[in-house]
Every structure is written in C-alpha cells, then in structure tokens.
Amino acid sequence: MEIKFSRLSGEISQSEIRNMSIECDAVGGINLSQGICDLPLPEPVSRGAKAAMDSGENHYTRYDGLPELRNAIAKKMRSYNNIQTDPEKNITVSAGATGAFYSACLALLNPGDEVILFEPYYGYHESTLKAAGVVPIFATLRTPDWSLDPREIERIITPRTRGIMICTPANPCGKIFSERELAQLAEIAIHNDLIVFTDEIYEYFVYDGRKHLSPGALESIADRTVTISGYSKTFSITGWRIGYAISNEKWAQMIGYINDLIYVCGPAPLQIGVATGIEELPDTYYSGLCQQYYEKRNKICAALNDAGITPYAPQGAYYVLADVSRLPGANSKERAMFMLKQIGVAAVPGSAFYSGDAGEKLVRFCFAKSEAALDEACSRLRKL
Ligand code: PLP
C-alpha cells in the first residue's frame, strides 16, 4: 500500500506532557506535568448548564455563540479587560481558547506566513500555527525575569512576518507582560503591520498584587489585535470547551465562519452555564481563586528552593519553571526522568518549550493540584 500520512502529521509529535504522564502512571508517581485544575466548578455554572439542558437549549447555536454568553463576555471585557466590544459584532465563542486561536489563524493567515512566538512557548501555539501552515519564528525571553529584547524581535522579522503571539500571563514561565513591554510590542506591530494575537486564558491568575493587562486595550493596536481567552481554567471546566476570540468586526465574522466550519458551535447548554457564571459570580470568586493559587505557588516554590532546584517564581498562571542543572542527566528529559525515578514526581522537560537547547536545564511543574497531592509532592521534592 502506497498511502502516506499527510505532511502535517510528520510535524505533530506526541507531546512531552503526555509522555511524562504515561511514565508517571507507570511508576504510580505524582503528576505535576499536566495542568488539570481539580477544583469543583462554581455552583452557578453547573446550575446554569443543567437548567439550560432541561429547558431544551440543546441545539446548534449561531456560528458565533449564544447571545446570553456573548453579552456576558462583552460585559466582562469592558469591566475586567478594558476592551469595548459589540456582542453582535466582535465576539466569537469557540471550542475553548484552542478552537478560537485555530479559527483565527485560518481566518487571517496563509501557509508560509510567519508569526513571532516567544519562547519558552506553549506547545499548542506552535502546533496550531504549524497546522495552519504558518512558520513560527522565535524570540527568546531572558531569565531570570523573562525579559524581552525589542531589538531581537525587529531582527527576526522578515517580509513574510504577519503576526506576533503574546501569552499573558504566560504558560510555561508565568510572565505577565508589563505596560512598557506591551507599548514596545505595539510599536513593533504598527511599524511592521502585524496582527497581534494574545492568549489570556490565565488572566485571573495573577500574583503579588500584579494586574492583568490586555494588549487589545491599547488604543493604538485595538483594531489589529485578536484577544483569545476562555473559561477552562477560571471555572475549572477544561472539558467543556468554551472559549472565545475578540477582534474587529471585519475579522470577527470570518473567524466565526471558520469556527462554524470546524466546530459548528460551542456546546449550547454549557454556553449558558458559563454565561450564568459570568453574570452571577461576585468579584470575590476571582480574588479567592487567585489567593488559592498564590498560596500553592508559594508552597511549591519554597519546596523547590529547599531542594536546590531554583524556581523562577511565576508572576501569573499556574506553572513554575525551575533550574534542574544540579540533577544528573545530559538533557532536560534525563533530568526529569531522574527526578521521577528518585522521588516519583513528574515534571515536563524544558526542551518541550524551546526550539533550540535553551530548555535543557529546566523543567516545568504545574501547581494546579489538590492540597494533598501538592503537599505530598513538596515533601518528596525536599528529599531530592
Ligand atoms: N492557552 C494556554 C496558554 C494554555 O496553557 C491552555 C491550556 O493549558 C489553553 C490555552 C487551553 O485552553 P482551552 O481549554 O480554552 O482550549
């Protein structure tokens, strides 16, 4: 038989996160490689979804989502993100932030186009771009504070560069882009006529009194920005697949049509559940969530420091990159495997987040875990 796989399948590899999860299961370890929030979902969210199902909200929705959810998102974008939207024109509800980003890529980019990706990057950003035939070009954030160098960005831009991808707060390094950095990136985007894609799925996970800033709130780039986010993390509903893209009217319609083509729509009753959550949950829900994760961050960073695996304490999101150069091994995979074998704690090798070898001394721990699992992992880390 001469039937071959597609070109794309040659570029899609088994993710290191999945690999480490399998290795972790094999030794019955504690899995800090994968980000699964095991908090219960908020009551209004489940009540809203159940009521919607019982009242017959079980059909295809409009290509860009139900009005209840678009209205709720518009309100939240105004109050939390400082972005004005018309729920009839600027919002596309999709299958999670993942679906929203893929739809936006297919609506706005062509095969062969380039998009700037900061490394360490989130693997899905790279894979999604590749799936659309887009070439990621990399700008490296520098330790210890994951700072960016605008001159490096200008250097890697070519006539084929069409966009820049920002993830704030970032997975895996937890960077929150500052006002000054966003202003620098806005200038670069305007000067080079780039689309600004921004993934803000961790927008409520911000620590040490920091504030989340949405690039789309900057007037100078509002029209060229596609803001992507969703409720997987905020409402602990990763399996529901509800996210959205916000963009100017002209783009939003096409992003919506592509969303319709690939996913048809987000799950109808779950859209109502999320809308109910946004409408009913008080500010203290979000501040409480943030406080819980802040305490988890401090707990794991203290244990890592005690273990001599220096953490780069994240400003936001729920992952921590740590320097494992003191562990034996020729690369990050060997060091992560050493740790798994010694103490039964799984983390993701840093190589998963870089195009080159800059991640070989790093591993990523996810601290979106139950208190019991996190406590046990911390006590094992201290024995390392
Ligand atoms: N964006 C980032 C940066 C993530 O880390 C994740 C999940 O880990 C997602 C998006 C996935 O979001 P969703 O579940 O809404 O597709």
Side-chain angles (χ1 to χ4, degrees), residues 17 35 94-100 122 124-125 165 167-172 199-202 228-233 237-244 317-319 364:
I17 298 173
S94 186
T98 308
Y122 166 55
Y124 264 79
H125 289 158
M165 178 84 212
C167 186
T168 185
N171 174 6
D199 181 337
E200 301 174 26
I201 192 94
Y202 298 104
I228 287 154
S229 192
Y231 280 86
S232 284
K233 316 283 177 177
I237 47 168
T238 49
W240 280 26
R241 316 308 306 129
I242 304 282
Y244 58 83
Y318 51 54
Y319 308 93
R364 188 198 76 176

Side-chain angles (χ1 to χ4, degrees), residues 31-113:
N31 191 354
L32 299 192
S33 58
Q34 202 160 25
I36 301 176
C37 359
D38 38 18
L39 292 178
L41 77 170
E43 187 278 331
V45 178
S46 58
R47 169 166 43 80
K50 285 177 197 156
M53 233 175 269
D54 291 342
S55 70
E57 191 71 76
N58 299 303
H59 309 290
Y60 299 136
T61 74
R62 207 172 90 171
Y63 66 94
D64 53 357
L66 287 168
E68 290 88 339
L69 181 53
R70 281 183 282 109
N71 288 332
I73 292 171
K75 253 193 242 173
K76 171 263 178 195
M77 291 306 295
R78 195 163 46 242
S79 61
Y80 190 67
N81 305 82
N82 199 20
I83 295 179
Q84 300 290 337
T85 60
D86 179 340
E88 283 297 309
K89 292 181 179 161
N90 304 114
I91 301 174
T92 308
V93 172
S94 186
T98 308
F101 181 46
Y102 190 43
S103 300
C105 286
L106 291 189
L108 300 172
L109 300 169
N110 287 309
D113 287 350

